[in-house]
């Protein structure tokens, strides 16, 4: 069916092996994170699944070990809504692991009701951007030592039309909109990737961000809770119009393993192809300002 093929999008064609390499994937116990972890394991990598729900992570890790024949798949606890948890994860990782070749910042929340984290941040910006910002910065030393290495940030086409509201990042002053908050957090992913790529020039660490496609995963649960009618309307068409998690993982995998992609550091990808991000995603001044503000919010003393 041509429509299905078109929706499925690009497929990563690289056969690159990852024997002796270590890959960290956040949110690896479900959806595209799980498919990405399975692919990395199949390529021979040591896969560290950084997950909040350890019970589900354990089941996913067992499934991945069994289906790939790679026993070198481990789980570590990581709650991106807690800066303490991010720091603990990084500390343990650096104490127990030798290297880090690929960091895939995949975990995310989508259009959830307004919640405030223990650090006082609105959840979508906290999980989708600030938690990953801190995690990446804490692991940069290892990534540099293991270079050439890669950082892959899963963003979304939802960054288009997004805006970083520096005066009200957490919707303290204006009415909360789960959609505007989501767009802001996904734009933050694009701008973070852009600024980080600049800062990593000459270090052997390259950075990519991507839109995985519209995928049938649990991420949609809050959208369907807000608009129950959509559940009925979407159930049949969505089976035709949404990517499977395997298809959705292809661009993450492409950015993680494709040979010769280093010169594309800082770029945005969709369907295993470089694409232009929105004008908002190319604003270097906003990217720099977001970096400085993120450093302040997460309490990063040693600036990278």
């Amino acid at each position: 069916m041509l429509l299905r093929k078109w929706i499925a999008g690009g497929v990563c064609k690289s056969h690159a092996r990852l024997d002796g390499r270590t890959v960290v994937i956040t949110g690896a116990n479900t959806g595209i994170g799980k498919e990405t972890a399975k692919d990395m394991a199949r390529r021979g990598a040591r896969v560290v699944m950084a997950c909040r729900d350890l019970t589900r992570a354990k089941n996913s890790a067992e499934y991945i070990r069994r289906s790939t024949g790679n026993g070198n798949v481990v789980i570590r606890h990581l709650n991106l809504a807690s800066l303490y948890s991010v720091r603990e994860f990084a500390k343990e990782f650096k104490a127990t692991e030798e290297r880090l070749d690929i960091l895939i910042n995949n975990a995310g929340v989508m259009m959830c009701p307004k919640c405030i984290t223990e650090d006082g941040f609105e959840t979508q910006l906290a999980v989708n951007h600030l938690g990953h910002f801190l995690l990446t910065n804490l692991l940069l030393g290892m990534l540099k030592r293991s270079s050439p290495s890669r950082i892959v940030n899963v963003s979304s086409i939802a960054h288009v039309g997004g805006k970083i509201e520096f005066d009200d990042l957490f919707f303290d002053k204006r009415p909360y909109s789960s959609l505007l908050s989501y767009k802001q957090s996904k734009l933050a992913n694009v701008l973070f990737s852009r600024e980080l790529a600049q800062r990593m020039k000459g270090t052997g660490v390259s950075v990519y961000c991507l839109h995985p496609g519209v995928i049938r995963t649990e991420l949609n649960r809050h959208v369907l809770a807000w608009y129950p009618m959509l559940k009925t309307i979407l159930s049949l068409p969505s089976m035709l119009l949404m990517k499977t998690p395997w298809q959705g993982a292809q661009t993450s995998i492409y950015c993680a393993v494709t040979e010769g992609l280093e010169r594309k550091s800082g770029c945005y990808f969709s369907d295993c192809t470089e694409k232009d991000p929105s004008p908002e995603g190319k604003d270097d001044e906003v990217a720099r300002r977001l970096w400085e503000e993120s450093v302040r919010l997460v309490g990063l003393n040693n600036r990278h």
Side-chain angles (χ1 to χ4, degrees):
M1 192 173 159
L2 279 174
L3 178 65
R4 283 291 309 136
K5 203 165 181 190
W6 175 72
I7 290 159
V11 172
C12 176
K13 296 189 169 66
S14 167
H15 297 295
R17 294 289 304 170
L18 296 173
D19 305 279
R21 312 270 180 86
T22 298
V23 182
V24 167
I25 306 168
T26 66
N29 61 322
T30 186
I32 64 173
K34 183 176 171 182
E35 288 294 339
T36 306
K38 186 176 164 187
D39 183 279
M40 299 291 120
R42 194 177 277 128
R43 292 171 190 270
R46 172 171 173 77
V47 179
V48 178
M49 300 168 64
C51 305
R52 193 178 45 137
D53 184 335
L54 288 182
T55 309
R56 294 179 66 185
K58 190 166 172 258
N59 294 336
S60 296
E62 278 167 11
Y63 159 75
I64 291 167
R65 288 185 206 111
R66 206 170 50 243
S67 60
T68 63
N70 181 348
N72 209 354
V73 177
V74 296
I75 54 172
R76 297 271 185 273
H77 183 256
L78 173 65
N79 176 9
L80 286 155
S82 158
L83 297 181
Y84 173 78
S85 174
V86 173
R87 286 199 163 87
E88 286 298 296
F89 172 90
K91 194 161 77 182
E92 187 194 357
F93 185 87
K94 288 189 279 195
T96 56
E97 297 289 335
E98 313 256 299
R99 56 187 301 121
L100 175 55
D101 300 271
I102 303 168
L103 170 62
I104 302 177
N105 290 318
N106 162 83
V109 289
M110 178 181 174
M111 290 179 66
C112 50
K114 188 176 184 187
C115 289
I116 303 298
T117 68
E118 63 188 49
D119 304 294
F121 307 147
E122 181 274 322
T123 302
Q124 292 195 89
L125 194 66
V127 171
N128 295 351
H129 169 62
L130 290 169
H132 281 130
F133 176 86
L134 178 60
L135 176 69
T136 304
N137 273 285
L138 293 175
L139 297 177
L140 273 182
M142 274 189 103
L143 283 155
K144 286 176 185 170
R145 284 196 300 279
S146 310
S147 69
S149 55
R150 295 185 183 188
I151 298 163
V152 179
N153 295 319
V154 178
S155 178
S156 165
I157 199 167
H159 82 275
V160 175
K163 186 166 189 278
I164 308 293
E165 294 283 0
F166 288 105
D167 297 332
D168 191 19
L169 282 173
F170 305 129
F171 291 81
D172 298 321
K173 303 173 189 168
R174 59 200 158 125
Y176 179 70
S177 159
S178 60
L179 178 60
L180 289 182
S181 168
Y182 184 64
K183 287 171 97 60
Q184 174 178 253
S185 72
K186 293 288 109 180
L187 174 58
N189 296 153
V190 177
L191 293 169
F192 168 47
S193 305
R194 196 174 177 88
E195 178 67 13
L196 182 58
Q198 284 295 322
R199 290 168 180 258
M200 290 299 103
K201 275 187 174 163
T203 63
V205 181
S206 45
V207 190
Y208 313 94
C209 68
L210 64 105
H211 166 56
V214 182
I215 302 150
R216 293 199 295 273
T217 70
E218 296 174 6
L219 257 193
N220 305 321
R221 63 187 177 273
H222 291 297
V223 186
L224 296 174
W226 285 93
Y227 309 105
M229 270 300 287
L230 274 179
K231 197 164 192 169
T232 320
I233 298 164
L234 283 178
S235 55
L236 187 63
S238 76
M239 299 311 281
L240 298 170
L241 297 175
M242 288 182 171
K243 290 183 177 185
T244 64
W246 182 85
Q247 291 161 344
Q250 292 304 304
T251 307
S252 296
I253 296 162
Y254 175 89
C255 290
V257 303
T258 299
E259 301 87 343
L261 212 59
E262 286 74 15
R263 59 200 170 82
K264 299 283 188 187
S265 185
C267 293
Y268 173 79
F269 292 81
S270 176
D271 285 330
C272 299
T273 313
E274 186 191 346
K275 297 274 166 75
D276 236 9
S278 69
E280 303 90 350
K282 293 192 273 195
D283 191 323
D284 289 330
E285 197 180 323
V286 173
R288 266 192 305 276
R289 190 176 168 196
L290 177 64
W291 182 282
E292 292 302 328
E293 186 61 10
S294 302
V295 163
R296 187 183 71 77
L297 287 167
V298 304
L300 255 187
N301 307 324
N302 50 335
R303 300 195 171 199
H304 295 275

